[in-house]
Amino acid sequence: MKGVLMSGLRMSLCSTAIVAAGLSLSTSAQAQDQEEPLTLFTNVHVFDGVNEQRIENASVLVEGNLIKAVSTDAIDAPNATVIDGEGRTLTPGFIELHAHLMLMGPTLPAMEANTTWEDFAIHGARMAEMYLMQGFTTVRDAGGANGGLRRAIDAGQIEGPRYFPSGAFIGTRGGHADFANFTAPPGSETNMSRLNLAQEVSGVDDVYRFARNNFRMGATQLKFMQSGGVVSAFDPWQLLAGSPEEIRAAVQVANEYGSYVMAHSYRKEAILSALDAGVMSIEHGFSFDCEIAQVMNEKGAYITTNLTAFDPGLLDIPAVANVPSSLAKAKSASATFAGYIDNMKECPVKRGFQTDCVGSVEACNIQIAYEKHLNNEFFGPYTSMVTLTSTGGEVVALSGDFMNPYTAGKLGVIEEGAYADILLIDGNPLEDFSVVGTGDQWFGADPRPESPETIRLIMKDGVIYKNTLD
Ligand SMILES: [Zn+2]
């Protein structure tokens, strides 16, 4: 309840009308206190999302949808449902910071040409369920989803993680979010623009218009496309799309809503100009180096990177290998991105987990498991666990008090007052990372189970979605 009270108090700085709303919220929440169900986890070792040392032989009490207590002393809660963890590790639910739950592929032109809203919705619903069963209790969507999926999840119509959509990609003509047919004139309506999955902007007025529309349609933050891509049609990966004024216009609108901008940025020039404009979340950021790290740390910015981009087998992927223009782009990109891992080790910044899968549910399940695996390969289990939990929680909180739908507690940590988003995992992921559900193969991998066997219990918002302990 503390979180509700605090957000009530923070809001009271702005207007008395909101104070009243804040107070009535907390009063009604307190009135419900007596009826909130209690769950007591006993005999668990807690990875709290931050500290490398687990809290050993602990108990965790959940009241309603929040964590009420974490203690190495026995917790007295006679009315609680007791779950004996039998020495397993209790961790925060995982947080994915860069997904595209609506985009089923197989290619961007196919989605533009042949896809209806039903296709997107059904794919999104299935992706949401898959993510939750892989242990992700929060997903930030990096473009192509509005507020509808979250409404359905939060209303209990479908099962899925907490959800932070970005609305339509905001991108320039010929940029990475331009899905229009080859001969379509600039500014043409497209399948993707009609459904507000992607919008083409030309000038700051367009940015204002579509950015505000995104928030109106349920976005929690904005996504701006600066750089190009490797398998997309019109854009060199080195593209520097978006004038400083256009990027600043996106930041301006995000700030109107107390939120922030995430930018798809590859080249150093793109990353630095995004940071200069006030972008808080650098996506991909493959040209990351120690100079960028310094600017990021000064600004308190974050980076999320799909490490599959550094996979040695990348050049053999059919979508790359069979398309000469893509293969040439991939080769030059790989050469430029070669320093990322060493630079991140030398000058670490706050880095969140991202998979960036566009494709079938089954393929994304494999890619997520492989992305987990690569995190551990490159950065080891402790850094990977922080990346998957508390850093993600910090990033989604940047959406602020007005647009963040989940302000009653922190995400990505196990502590008093945090949301009860909890996993119980066999073994110790800080010693054997595979227990979080890794996969050591990407293309050609066998289909993965609906949920990793070693993740024995999945709780989101105090509700248990999986429990194989009995
Ligand atoms: Zn993406």
Side-chain angles (χ1 to χ4, degrees), residues 26 36 38 67 77 122 150 187 243 271-273 284 312 354 360 429 435 445-446 455 457:
S26 53
E36 298 276 28
L38 297 169
I67 294 171
I122 290 166
R150 183 180 67 236
S243 66
I271 298 169
L272 289 174
S273 69
H284 313 296
Q354 80 134 292
S360 72
V435 295
D446 290 332
I455 300 181
L457 181 140

Side-chain angles (χ1 to χ4, degrees), residues 170-208:
I170 297 171
T172 55
R173 176 70 175 174
H176 198 47
D178 180 354
F179 304 135
N181 184 285
F182 190 60
T183 57
S188 305
E189 192 176 79
T190 63
N191 190 23
M192 304 292 266
S193 74
R194 276 190 293 274
L195 298 171
N196 202 48
L197 270 62
Q199 299 294 358
E200 176 188 330
V201 296
S202 181
V204 293
D205 286 350
D206 277 356
V207 176
Y208 288 147

Side-chain angles (χ1 to χ4, degrees), residues 98 100 142 223 284 356:
H98 190 125
H100 298 284
K223 171 73 176 299
H284 313 296
D356 197 26

